[in-house]
Amino acid sequence: MQKNCKKCEDLLKRLREIDFCLVETVLYLNAYPDHAKALEYYHKLVCERADLVEQYQKDCGPLTAYGNTSQSSWDWVKTPWPWEADAD
């Protein structure tokens, strides 16, 4: 299912960047819950992350075991797992 290893690596890298930004933004919002721009940024990141997850799962396979969308097969074990960057 991994059609383009470079594309999958790039998508995974971007997901990691978004996740880092989300964690930092959540920590900021914990201290400043009424900061409108931070909340707007948080929602932007959440949407971008959802789009990236959808794209990754479409092109590369499930991102997590919960991302298995096939009704007829367990695709989670058919491709290298996201943390197995060197597996081919």
Side-chain angles (χ1 to χ4, degrees), residues 1-11 59-60:
M1 184 179 292
Q2 288 208 324
K3 301 173 186 173
N4 183 333
C5 290
K6 175 68 172 139
K7 181 177 184 177
C8 294
E9 289 173 18
D10 291 346
L11 287 168
D59 294 344
C60 308

Side-chain angles (χ1 to χ4, degrees), residues 36-80:
K37 284 190 177 184
L39 189 58
E40 181 182 327
Y41 182 62
Y42 166 82
H43 286 292
K44 176 185 171 286
L45 291 172
V46 167
C47 289
E48 188 174 343
R49 186 184 192 285
D51 292 344
L52 285 167
V53 168
E54 183 179 334
Q55 186 67 47
Y56 183 92
Q57 292 186 153
K58 180 178 144 244
D59 294 344
C60 308
L63 186 61
T64 68
Y66 304 121
N68 195 90
T69 56
S70 174
Q71 297 295 317
S72 60
S73 70
W74 187 242
D75 294 340
W76 174 241
V77 296
K78 292 183 180 179
T79 60

Side-chain angles (χ1 to χ4, degrees), residues 15-31:
L15 274 165
R16 289 178 179 143
E17 292 168 354
I18 296 278
D19 284 345
F20 176 83
C21 292
L22 275 167
V23 168
E24 292 297 311
T25 304
V26 165
L27 291 172
Y28 183 85
L29 284 166
N30 285 345

